Amino acid sequence: SYTPEESLELSELNKAIRKSITKLPPREKLVLEKRFFQGKKMREIADELKISSSRVSRIVQAGLDRVKNDLGRQGLIDEE
């Protein structure tokens, strides 16, 4: 269980992640939303978008990299 402070930090980070995703290019945004908020598997996303699973994987990675960079610029996470 989290302390109230930890819960607040997680809530704020979650909001920041969602906001960061809205800034992504349309395809990256769509794929990340399907993957992480709709719980779809890579294969399901690939079938829906008629692209390969490896392409979905590359789009997910690119989107996550952009989100991480955005959160780092905001000082919300440490970039490594």
Side-chain angles (χ1 to χ4, degrees):
S1 184
Y2 297 109
T3 67
E5 293 82 14
E6 289 170 330
S7 293
L8 181 61
E9 282 183 35
L10 287 173
S11 175
E12 292 300 315
L13 185 57
N14 186 30
K15 286 180 195 169
I17 290 168
R18 286 179 179 270
K19 185 174 181 183
S20 186
I21 288 172
T22 68
K23 301 175 190 176
L24 294 174
R27 181 162 258 199
E28 286 178 18
K29 179 182 171 190
L30 176 69
V31 170
L32 261 61
E33 287 173 345
K34 286 181 179 292
R35 181 74 180 105
F36 297 107
F37 300 119
Q38 297 174 17
K40 299 215 172 173
K41 293 181 169 55
M42 298 280 199
R43 178 83 252 155
E44 292 174 303
I45 298 167
D47 290 344
E48 284 179 27
L49 301 180
K50 299 185 181 6
I51 58 178
S52 69
S53 290
S54 62
R55 180 72 186 123
V56 171
S57 180
R58 288 192 300 273
I59 293 169
V60 166
Q61 191 57 56
L64 291 176
D65 287 346
R66 286 183 205 256
V67 168
K68 181 179 175 186
N69 290 338
D70 187 49
L71 295 175
R73 279 193 302 275
Q74 295 177 52
L76 296 171
I77 62 168
D78 293 328
E79 292 183 85
E80 296 174 30

